[in-house]
């Protein structure tokens, strides 16, 4: 369900897909992130998503102009996962809040796989 902001000039409606795209681009720019992950329901295996489909690994929920984001990521082998996760959260929060004017309540980063490239 999209979120609608109202001001004296009218309404602004922001779809979840827009928020997911902003969050995904911010996450992909973070050091140590190889890509977003999507779970195959038939095989219970996570796969690396290409750039045009990366929002399938991102889930957005909005309630009362509060945004909750869940990101499923694949990280590079050899990076400190906790640091990469915190960098993702900081970058996503900054970008979503500054580009949409919405308040981000929670960001969950789920590391689904590690890749050696």
């Amino acid at each position: 369900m999209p979120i609608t902001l109202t001001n004296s000039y009218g309404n602004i409606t922001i779809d979840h897909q827009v928020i997911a795209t902003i969050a995904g681009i911010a996450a992909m720019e973070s050091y140590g992130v190889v890509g977003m992950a999507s779970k195959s329901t038939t095989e219970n295996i996570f796969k690396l998503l290409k750039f045009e489909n990366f929002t399938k690994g991102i889930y957005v929920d909005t309630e009362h102009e509060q945004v909750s984001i869940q990101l499923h990521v694949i990280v590079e082998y050899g990076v400190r996962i906790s640091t990469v996760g915190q960098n993702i959260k900081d970058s996503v929060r900054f970008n979503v809040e500054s580009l949409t004017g919405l308040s981000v309540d929670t960001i969950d980063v789920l590391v689904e796989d590690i890749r050696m490239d």
Side-chain angles (χ1 to χ4, degrees):
M1 177 173 178
I3 190 164
T4 302
L5 305 171
T6 304
N7 63 23
S8 61
Y9 300 111
N11 297 324
I12 301 169
T13 303
I14 303 173
D15 192 71
H16 284 187
Q17 188 68 24
V18 173
I19 297 169
T21 300
I22 293 168
I25 291 169
M28 293 291 291
E29 290 175 345
S30 298
Y31 177 78
V33 176
V34 175
M36 304 305 292
S38 176
K39 187 174 182 179
S40 170
T41 55
T42 57
E43 299 172 11
N44 205 21
I45 297 174
F46 287 92
K47 66 178 184 174
L48 181 66
L49 296 171
K50 301 290 184 198
F51 186 75
E52 58 273 0
N53 294 324
F54 72 91
T55 57
K56 290 182 181 176
I58 303 168
Y59 303 98
V60 176
D61 185 36
T62 55
E63 189 173 318
H64 308 295
E65 297 182 19
Q66 293 285 319
V67 180
S68 297
I69 302 169
Q70 186 180 74
L71 300 110
H72 297 264
V73 299
I74 298 173
V75 297
E76 184 179 320
Y77 177 79
V79 297
R80 183 175 293 217
I81 295 172
S82 61
T83 303
V84 172
Q86 187 61 50
N87 289 342
I88 292 169
K89 291 169 73 170
D90 292 342
S91 179
V92 168
R93 179 179 306 277
F94 174 79
N95 281 288
V96 170
E97 288 182 348
S98 65
L99 294 174
T100 65
L102 298 171
S103 176
V104 177
D105 185 35
T106 60
I107 301 171
D108 296 322
V109 178
L110 290 84
V111 178
E112 303 295 356
D113 199 2
I114 296 175
R115 292 286 166 103
M116 292 178 43
D117 290 327

